[in-house]
């Protein structure tokens, strides 16, 4: 393999695709607890922030009390149904009294189901006000502080997995013929130092990208796999079928209402 000719390009330090996440809240509210600081390591599922939910917790306690109340109503309705059945079998009471007792029991059971659904919905709403880390990583930006009010989908912190960083540099199209995949990178003014290699990616429409990674081995051209990586995002063929699931959003509260 012939050595690559000298190519000079400016690059930017970035994470790998999916390794940097802007953590936001699904709902608007006031931050009562911001549990992380910048440069702090976090684990997936670790608490990031809490929004005020006193009113929802009060409603949940009310729903829990309603469940206890309907349990008592069901026990009484079961006793009334059994009593009405016995009296009817002894020809002491009418069928309409028996049927009414059965109906009262069914109504009480339906009320309990409704109370349970309300409690489930409120639990889902409270869960939305506990924001947790979606990935392992480091908090690189903290946009808000405790006591601030935020809008729905507003960013709170940015978390990045800094285990593997890379430098992406766009090369002028006139220098593309000088690049050789796997060639060592010299004079790299960045903490990754030597040991980085060239990874040529791109297609006929986009300018090629020179991607560097610390301690990287030789990379093959991604075009051989039917995909190209442009601007940190993999673009290529992925076959799917009509009706295939692409993504799913949280819907605990809607399931409870259903």
């Amino acid at each position: 393999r012939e050595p690559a000719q000298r190519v000079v390009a400016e690059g930017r330090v970035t994470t790998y695709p999916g390794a940097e996440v802007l953590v936001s809240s699904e709902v608007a509210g006031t931050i009562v607890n911001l549990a992380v600081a910048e440069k702090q390591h976090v684990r997936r599922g670790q608490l990031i922030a809490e929004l005020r939910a006193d009113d929802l917790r009060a409603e949940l306690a009310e729903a829990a009390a309603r469940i206890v109340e309907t349990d008592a109503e069901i026990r009484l309705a079961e006793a009334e149904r059994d009593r009405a059945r016995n009296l009817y079998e002894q020809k002491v009471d009418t069928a309409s009294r028996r049927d009414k007792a059965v109906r009262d029991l069914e109504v009480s059971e339906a009320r309990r189901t409704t109370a349970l659904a309300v409690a489930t919905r409120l639990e889902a709403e409270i869960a939305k006000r506990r924001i947790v880390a979606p990935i392992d990583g480091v908090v690189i930006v903290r946009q808000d502080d405790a006591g601030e009010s935020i809008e729905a989908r507003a960013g709170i912190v940015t978390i990045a997995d800094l285990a593997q960083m890379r430098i992406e540099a766009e090369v002028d199209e006139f220098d593309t013929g000088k690049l050789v995949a796997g060639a060592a990178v010299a004079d790299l003014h960045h903490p990754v130092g030597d040991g980085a290699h060239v990874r040529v990616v791109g297609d006929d429409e986009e300018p090629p990208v020179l991607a560097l990674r610390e301690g990287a081995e030789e990379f093959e051209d991604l075009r051989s796999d039917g995909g190209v990586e442009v601007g940190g995002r993999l673009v290529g063929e992925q076959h799917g079928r009509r009706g295939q699931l692409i993504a799913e959003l949280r819907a605990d509260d809607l399931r409870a209402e259903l």
Side-chain angles (χ1 to χ4, degrees):
R1 174 181 297 176
E2 297 182 0
Q5 301 181 49
R6 179 177 177 83
V7 176
V8 179
E10 294 183 357
R12 63 184 183 275
V13 179
T14 182
T15 59
Y16 278 81
E20 182 175 330
V21 179
L22 176 63
V23 182
S24 59
S25 170
E26 296 182 44
V27 296
T30 301
I31 300 175
V32 295
N33 178 26
L34 192 53
V36 296
E38 289 187 356
K39 301 181 181 180
Q40 178 179 337
H41 290 266
V42 295
R43 304 284 296 176
R44 180 178 182 180
Q46 180 177 336
L47 178 67
I48 299 297
E50 285 184 285
L51 303 184
R52 178 171 292 137
D54 299 340
D55 51 345
L56 294 175
R57 292 190 180 94
E59 292 180 25
L60 180 60
E62 182 179 352
R66 182 57 183 162
I67 293 173
V68 175
E69 181 182 351
T70 54
D71 286 339
E73 292 177 353
I74 289 174
R75 288 192 295 270
L76 177 60
E78 288 175 342
E80 292 291 344
R81 178 202 59 188
D82 295 340
R83 185 179 301 110
R85 282 179 175 175
N86 291 334
L87 292 176
Y88 176 74
E89 291 173 355
Q90 296 172 12
K91 301 186 183 304
V92 177
D93 210 341
T94 62
S96 61
R97 292 286 297 273
R98 178 203 60 186
D99 296 341
K100 181 179 182 302
V102 173
R103 192 280 312 269
D104 291 343
L105 175 59
E106 292 174 348
V107 170
S108 297
E109 290 174 340
R111 287 175 179 168
R112 186 181 191 279
T113 300
T114 301
L116 285 171
V118 171
T120 301
R121 178 181 60 81
L122 291 170
E123 289 172 350
E125 289 292 335
I126 292 174
K128 290 181 181 180
R129 285 154 178 80
R130 280 180 55 87
I131 297 93
V132 299
I135 61 172
D136 296 343
V138 177
V139 178
I140 59 175
V141 179
R142 197 176 85 164
Q143 285 91 341
D144 300 291
D145 293 302
E148 293 185 8
S149 296
I150 60 173
E151 298 294 332
R153 295 177 294 278
I156 299 176
V157 299
T158 300
I159 299 176
D161 182 3
L162 304 182
Q164 287 187 335
M165 301 291 291
R166 66 180 182 180
I167 298 177
E168 292 180 349
E170 293 187 358
V171 179
D172 190 276
E173 60 182 347
F174 296 104
D175 291 328
T176 56
K178 302 177 183 179
L179 298 178
V180 177
V185 177
D187 299 329
L188 182 62
H189 300 292
H190 185 268
V192 298
D194 296 332
H197 289 70
V198 176
R199 180 185 185 185
V200 181
V201 295
D203 58 17
D204 295 336
E205 290 74 30
E206 296 289 344
V209 174
L210 178 65
L212 315 175
R213 185 177 67 175
E214 180 181 6
E217 299 297 334
E218 180 176 326
F219 289 98
E220 69 278 5
D221 191 334
L222 287 183
R223 285 175 292 187
S224 61
D225 295 331
V228 294
E229 187 178 356
V230 178
R233 181 168 300 184
L234 184 63
V235 181
E237 296 182 359
Q238 180 173 347
H239 296 281
R241 299 188 65 84
R242 180 178 181 181
Q244 179 179 343
L245 177 66
I246 301 299
E248 191 170 6
L249 303 182
R250 178 181 294 163
D252 299 340
D253 49 346
L254 296 179
R255 293 190 182 96
E257 291 181 15
L258 179 61

